[in-house]
Amino acid sequence: MAVSDTPARADDAHTLPLTGERTVPGIAEENYWFRRHEVVYRHFISRCAGRTVLEAGAGEGYGADMIADVATRVIGLDYDESAVAHIRARYPRVDMRHGNLAELPLEDESVDTVVNFQVIEHLWDQSQFLRECRRVLTPGGELLISTPNRITFSPGRDTPLNPFHTRELNAAELTELLEDAGFRVELMTGVHHGPTLRALDAKHGGSFIDAQIERALAGQPWPEDLTADVAGVTVDDFTIVPENIDASLDLVAIAVKDPAPEDGAP
């Protein structure tokens, strides 16, 4: 997400501060980033139905609460103690825990699905985290993961634009990380702008995203038309398709922990 100087609404006691490290719902100027994250939850939530789900890096908690609509059980995990306290207070359906994603505080083969949306780019040891995800998954379990596409998020740079990111990935790099951790990549797809957002790109000088980032960094009130355009974005304004993956905004993958072959099997 973009770094933003827009404060959380003071009249909402349940809103975490908007620092640029996570997105939060209910803030007009943040709505584009929130919807861009929300669309991935909505697209893949059916894969969590009837399952025990771990959201590793639960952030604000809205996603874990969405998953709780369909899952048998949702465990949330985050290293930020303020986020843990916030989720426990606001989303009581989530079994929220404090812990390090490099050492998941769960037993082996104890969850059916791990959800990790817009988190791995924040981690210093991405390979260790993925190995931990595989350890806690049951045989046949799935890791649902999303991350900004390095090619479009920080184009032409060796270091990420977002100061909270440690390493961003392209599709080939994410695939390699997952396979090296022992996963089989079932799907690699991407989030793209749909027609409405492409029209807003054209309206705002070629990039709707850059227009938002420029205003956020300026630390000044946003123009009314930009605020209105951002506030009007919905999940339906994004598409998730595997085609043209290197041009996608965010990468989304389904990675499977295949059962071990039976003794004596070739």
Side-chain angles (χ1 to χ4, degrees):
M1 73 196 72
V3 177
S4 175
D5 294 328
T6 305
R9 296 295 180 257
D11 58 353
D12 186 354
H14 295 294
T15 298
L16 284 174
L18 186 61
T19 64
E21 188 172 10
R22 66 176 70 86
T23 190
V24 299
I27 299 175
E29 294 88 347
E30 181 71 2
N31 185 59
Y32 168 86
W33 298 99
F34 171 67
R35 301 302 180 190
R36 180 165 149 178
H37 291 192
E38 184 188 25
V39 67
V40 180
Y41 284 99
R42 294 199 180 279
H43 192 81
F44 291 102
I45 196 169
S46 62
R47 302 188 80 98
C48 299
R51 296 191 168 208
T52 297
V53 179
L54 167 68
E55 178 157 35
E60 194 275 341
Y62 67 87
D65 191 60
M66 290 171 61
I67 294 167
D69 287 338
V70 301
T72 299
R73 181 187 182 196
V74 179
I75 302 166
L77 183 69
D78 207 280
Y79 191 69
D80 185 333
E81 292 183 348
S82 65
V84 172
H86 166 81
I87 293 171
R88 286 173 176 167
R90 185 167 187 176
Y91 304 112
R93 296 188 297 175
V94 179
D95 176 4
M96 191 62 201
R97 305 179 187 182
H98 177 255
N100 189 338
L101 269 64
E103 298 180 1
L104 299 177
L106 281 84
E107 298 294 325
D108 294 357
E109 300 185 356
S110 57
V111 300
D112 304 307
T113 304
V114 176
V115 171
N116 183 248
F117 291 158
Q118 305 295 326
V119 173
I120 194 170
E121 66 276 6
H122 295 260
L123 303 181
W124 288 104
D125 196 338
Q126 296 172 341
S127 296
Q128 170 64 16
F129 166 66
L130 293 176
R131 289 192 295 268
E132 280 290 278
C133 290
R134 191 177 186 281
R135 177 184 65 80
V136 303
L137 278 168
T138 55
E142 295 180 342
L143 168 62
L144 310 178
I145 187 167
S146 76
T147 189
N149 179 9
R150 175 175 61 80
I151 296 172
T152 58
F153 200 83
S154 297
R157 290 177 57 95
D158 294 328
T159 58
L161 281 170
N162 190 313
F164 295 102
H165 293 181
T166 60
R167 180 195 178 196
E168 295 169 357
L169 304 162
N170 63 27
E173 292 163 343
L174 179 57
T175 298
E176 182 179 14
L177 271 178
L178 290 166
E179 291 179 344
D180 286 350
F183 285 100
R184 173 176 56 83
V185 178
E186 180 175 299
L187 175 69
M188 181 67 68
T189 188
V191 178
H192 298 258
H193 281 177
T196 297
L197 284 169
R198 290 198 298 270
L200 288 173
D201 282 329
K203 175 182 176 181
H204 292 280
S207 175
F208 188 40
I209 296 170
D210 287 350
Q212 296 174 68
I213 294 174
E214 288 171 7
R215 297 311 305 168
L217 294 177
Q220 298 175 354
W222 288 32
E224 289 185 6
D225 67 328
L226 179 60
T227 301
D229 287 342
V230 171
V233 174
T234 74
V235 294
D236 294 332
D237 295 327
F238 297 91
T239 62
I240 298 180
V241 294
E243 292 78 20
N244 204 14
I245 190 73
D246 285 344
S248 66
L249 303 166
D250 298 313
L251 306 169
V252 188
I254 299 172
V256 181
K257 176 184 176 177
D258 284 329
E262 297 181 5
D263 291 343

